Amino acid sequence: MPLDLHVFRTLSDNAGALLHDPATGACAAVDVPDAGQVMAAAKAKGWTISEIFVTHAHADHTQGVAELKRATGATVCGPADAADSAPLDRIVGEGDVVFLGGDGFEIWHTPGHSEGHLSFVSRSAKLALVGDVVFVMGCGRVQPGRMAAMWTSLSRLMMLPGDIRLLGGHDYTLSNARFAAAMEPANAALTARLAQAEAAKASGRFWALTTVAEEAATNPFFRAGEGALGAAVGLVGASAGDVFAALREAKNRF
């Protein structure tokens, strides 16, 4: 049976997420921005949290972990650099695998936004928990001096099959769509997706889930190798990595 996925808003724009295995009843919270909101979401679904997956150490992703662990007894796994902010039972890193029911999640080290950032990738569940590396039509801010690392992390995720779902850590969708459209105004798929983002914002719909294929068609950071994006930042003929860095700097100022 496929994993159930419930994504919801927590804090102002963070993604709260619960994964539930209907065969075993196991349930994982993905990061914990606010313990009370995550527990309320689990109660509403009738699920009992047994695991906590931490993608990275930033406070808005870890500040509720200790409270949730005390309330549920959940087992916590995450990167070594999150140990100061979250009570980790298992430190995981590149090459490890964590399971929820029968689905295994490969642990990928995806630095750039934070040094220890991890992505949890399950080909069987067709789902990658990408934290603040990828957002809908965007990507996370980059640590000083770590543009090359971020580009490597993005490039690796871009190579996943198109039907893999990507769950990001925030809903910045409308601002990302506006920037993307400014960089590539002739992209019809992007124009349509911008309209969807405007409608989602107007209706209050939370949007943090996408697919590799959708991002390949509309995310300027995934599309840094396209000539139109190089031209948008004045780097015609430059490497995709250099175009990515220029796009990310442009987004910082947008």
Side-chain angles (χ1 to χ4, degrees):
M1 298 176 68
L3 292 178
D4 300 316
L5 174 62
H6 177 47
V7 182
F8 52 95
R9 184 188 307 278
T10 179
L11 302 181
S12 61
D13 53 42
N14 279 72
L18 296 169
L19 289 170
H20 175 255
D21 176 39
T24 65
C27 178
V30 183
D31 296 331
V32 190
D34 182 279
Q37 291 174 324
V38 173
M39 286 189 283
K43 182 178 180 180
K45 299 294 287 187
W47 299 343
T48 300
I49 295 171
S50 55
E51 313 288 334
I52 300 171
F53 297 163
V54 177
T55 63
H56 64 293
H58 290 170
D60 63 322
H61 292 256
T62 62
Q63 62 194 12
V65 172
E67 182 182 346
L68 185 60
K69 179 177 173 59
R70 286 193 299 269
T72 64
T75 299
V76 185
C77 68
D81 66 350
D84 290 339
S85 55
L88 299 181
D89 296 295
R90 180 186 176 192
I91 292 173
V92 292
E94 176 71 35
D96 289 330
V97 178
V98 299
F99 285 88
L100 187 70
D103 288 287
F105 286 81
E106 304 169 25
I107 303 300
W108 291 9
H109 182 215
T110 48
H113 176 72
S114 73
E115 199 54 44
H117 197 293
L118 303 178
S119 294
F120 292 63
V121 180
S122 176
R123 297 171 191 272
S124 60
K126 295 187 176 181
L127 177 65
L129 314 173
V130 295
D132 286 3
V133 175
V134 181
F135 304 132
V136 180
M137 289 176 278
C139 75
R141 288 186 177 271
V142 181
Q143 292 174 294
R146 297 296 278 157
M147 282 289 188
M150 188 68 157
W151 175 242
T152 297
S153 296
L154 281 172
S155 298
R156 189 177 181 188
L157 292 165
M158 287 159 53
M159 294 302 293
L160 285 166
D163 62 350
I164 296 286
R165 295 168 294 165
L166 303 175
L167 176 62
H170 293 267
D171 178 1
Y172 300 143
T173 305
L174 182 55
S175 63
N176 288 342
R178 287 171 172 165
F179 172 75
M183 294 298 100
E184 198 178 10
N187 183 333
L190 177 53
T191 300
R193 219 170 181 212
L194 171 59
Q196 293 170 359
E198 290 171 336
K201 184 71 171 182
S203 67
R205 180 169 74 86
F206 188 79
W207 189 357
L209 186 66
T210 185
T211 67
V212 172
E214 288 172 315
E215 295 312 298
T218 60
N219 188 323
F221 303 113
F222 274 42
R223 296 173 59 76
E226 298 291 328
L229 275 305
V233 292
L235 291 176
V236 174
S239 71
D242 287 345
V243 172
F244 162 73
L247 286 166
R248 184 59 257 191
E249 292 292 355
K251 179 63 168 65
N252 292 342
R253 300 188 299 270
F254 185 75

